[in-house]
Amino acid sequence: MSERSDVEFDSSGTTCRAWLYRPTDGVDVPIIVMGHGLGAVRRMRLDVFAERFTAAGYACLVFDYRHFGDSDGQPRQLLSISRQLDDWAAAIAYARSVPGVDPTKVVLWGTSFGGGHVMIAGRRDGRVAAVVAQCPFTDGIASTLALGPVSGAKVTARAIADLAGSVFGRAPVTVALAGPPGSAALMSAPDAVPGYLPLVPDELDFANEVAARVGLAVPLHFPGRALRHVSAPTLVCVCDRDTVAPPRTTVRYVDRSLNARMIRYPVGHFDIYPDADGGGEAFEKVVADQLGFLRAIVPAG
């Protein structure tokens, strides 16, 4: 059994909101800090993962980044890589302060863009007990090339316009998060729209867009390089048919790391998430593998 409460913490003067899951029994339990991917929010199925982990005896802190979801921050839908990494640091600090958890047993869990974030956050913190990176974004050039030349050119043009407008205080110029092939979207593979948008609950007022300026930052972002410097045991879950975070470069980064192990799945980027009923073959396999890793490295009681 478990219980979930709404909590909040400060990140550089802005309030981030989160769910805190606790097992109903257990003392000084490990806590898993969980963050989503590109423009996504915790209500997009992270609760299903957290419920599985909590049922196994782990506490979970599942947070929204600034500018997204239930967290504060203006303008809305501003995806700043540096701010999101600061949010991870703030979430880790808050997790260590939660009564009833073991502050020496903090685990980082990130998926997609968040899967890259946990590599950097784990390296920067240096004290986390373990890291789980699921279908992670690891290489900006690889993901930009996967976008295709037409979508890439459209995103770049809007990103330049957004950055120029921000200098004069104008409202952000946006790009879609998921769109059809050839569109001005950060994810435009054929499986992006049918894979990403169904993760959004019907009752959630979700904006499928972000400030376009991040399109200039993504090609220069290489979180996979941090993996070899992460001292904590790390599990990297790779989707072999990933059209968003190409697996080849991720595999290369894992091979260069001394503390990372990899499990590969013959599925696409979005197949690894639970379906609307909270299950799915790929999800069941990956969550079982992650729990096996956690039980071996950071046992819960």
Side-chain angles (χ1 to χ4, degrees), residues 52-293:
R52 296 295 183 91
F53 297 147
T54 309
Y58 297 87
C60 293
L61 180 71
V62 190
F63 73 97
D64 280 335
Y65 299 108
R66 281 179 285 172
H67 307 282
F68 290 92
D70 295 314
S71 293
D72 292 345
Q74 294 293 335
R76 304 306 292 170
Q77 304 302 115
L78 175 64
L79 203 169
S80 164
I81 294 172
S82 62
R83 292 187 188 189
Q84 291 195 347
L85 289 170
D86 287 346
D87 294 344
W88 272 101
I92 294 168
Y94 177 82
R96 289 193 171 113
S97 74
V98 172
V101 308
D102 186 338
T104 68
K105 295 181 179 179
V106 174
V107 177
L108 307 187
W109 184 100
T111 187
S112 192
F113 211 62
H117 284 340
V118 294
M119 296 177 183
I120 298 175
R123 181 200 69 194
R124 289 182 176 179
D125 183 84
R127 296 187 292 134
V128 298
V131 175
V132 177
Q134 176 177 281
C135 55
F137 170 98
T138 57
D139 191 281
I141 291 178
S143 289
T144 300
L145 291 175
L147 190 60
V150 176
S151 288
K154 291 179 178 179
V155 168
T156 300
R158 295 183 70 83
I160 293 171
D162 180 41
L163 188 62
S166 70
V167 174
F168 300 100
R170 296 172 184 164
V173 176
T174 62
V175 292
L177 287 160
S183 65
L186 296 177
M187 296 179 287
S188 62
D191 63 340
V193 170
Y196 186 82
L197 295 184
L199 297 177
V200 181
D202 292 338
E203 68 277 8
L204 181 63
D205 183 16
F206 178 75
N208 179 32
E209 62 181 15
V210 291
R213 68 197 73 169
V214 73
L216 300 177
V218 166
L220 306 176
H221 188 46
F222 302 93
R225 294 176 179 174
L227 189 57
R228 66 191 301 177
H229 303 293
V230 177
S231 58
T234 301
L235 175 64
V236 182
C237 301
V238 177
C239 298
D240 282 336
R241 300 173 191 163
D242 200 321
T243 59
V244 175
R248 181 177 300 178
T249 50
T250 299
V251 171
R252 189 178 304 127
Y253 286 126
V254 175
D255 287 343
R256 294 172 181 170
S257 172
L258 294 177
N259 295 314
R261 60 168 294 196
M262 174 173 53
I263 302 178
R264 302 178 69 164
Y265 304 87
V267 298
H269 186 85
F270 302 100
D271 298 324
I272 209 166
Y273 296 100
D275 58 28
D277 297 322
E281 183 178 352
F283 164 74
E284 296 292 348
K285 180 68 169 68
V286 74
V287 78
D289 289 340
Q290 291 171 4
L291 280 170
F293 169 77

